[in-house]
Amino acid sequence: MEILKRPPTTKLSAACFTGDAWADVLYRGDHVRANMVRFAPGARTAWHSHGLGQTLLIVEGVALIQSRKGGIIEAHPGDVVHTPPGEEHWHGAAPDRFMVHLALWEGDDVSWHEHVSDTEYRGPRSSTRS
């Protein structure tokens, strides 16, 4: 057993994120990554995909998540969302809430695309809560 030394919190790049977001690398192995990511209200990723998929566990706040093929999902703490390999998607915080998620994915194969427009971000959404 080993206690891993974690690197400092990193502010995420405006090239891939709209608004303020920060990441803490929890684990970076040869094949698997785990980051705790914190989003300020309204902050979000650009459209992107992961070669081997990605799983998000919503820890705090309200998350907005969308794939190119679907509508915006409003996810809440405890919700787990999986994006399959190669599926373009974005995720971020609701306009009025901070959001924290644990992001898990295999490999470093991430393809970044254009930023999510304000119109796309404000689109209709469905909630995981009834």
Side-chain angles (χ1 to χ4, degrees):
M1 183 184 316
E2 164 185 16
I3 302 295
L4 299 174
K5 184 171 181 140
R6 290 184 11 204
T9 299
T10 303
K11 185 160 188 327
L12 297 169
S13 169
C16 300
F17 290 79
T18 298
D20 293 326
W22 301 266
D24 285 295
V25 175
L26 302 179
Y27 181 75
R28 183 176 186 153
D30 292 336
H31 304 287
V32 177
R33 305 268 315 258
N35 286 358
M36 191 69 71
V37 186
R38 293 165 177 85
F39 292 81
R44 56 200 180 262
T45 68
W47 287 100
H48 65 287
S49 63
H50 297 266
L52 297 173
Q54 182 182 46
T55 300
L56 305 175
L57 166 65
I58 310 309
V59 175
E60 182 180 325
V62 177
L64 302 180
I65 305 164
Q66 182 179 26
S67 74
R68 292 259 192 206
K69 300 174 187 172
I72 298 171
I73 298 168
E74 181 182 284
H76 300 270
D79 290 338
V80 177
V81 180
H82 177 73
T83 304
E87 184 172 74
E88 291 184 15
H89 66 285
W90 65 268
H91 37 97
D96 57 349
R97 301 272 178 99
F98 282 87
M99 188 272 290
V100 180
H101 69 49
L102 174 63
L104 305 164
W105 71 101
E106 297 180 72
D108 279 334
D109 185 16
V110 181
S111 297
W112 290 100
H113 306 286
E114 76 277 8
H115 282 272
V116 174
S117 71
D118 289 342
T119 301
E120 288 171 311
Y121 175 77
R122 288 191 301 262
R125 54 180 141 151
S126 60
S127 178
T128 60
R129 304 291 156 94
S130 300

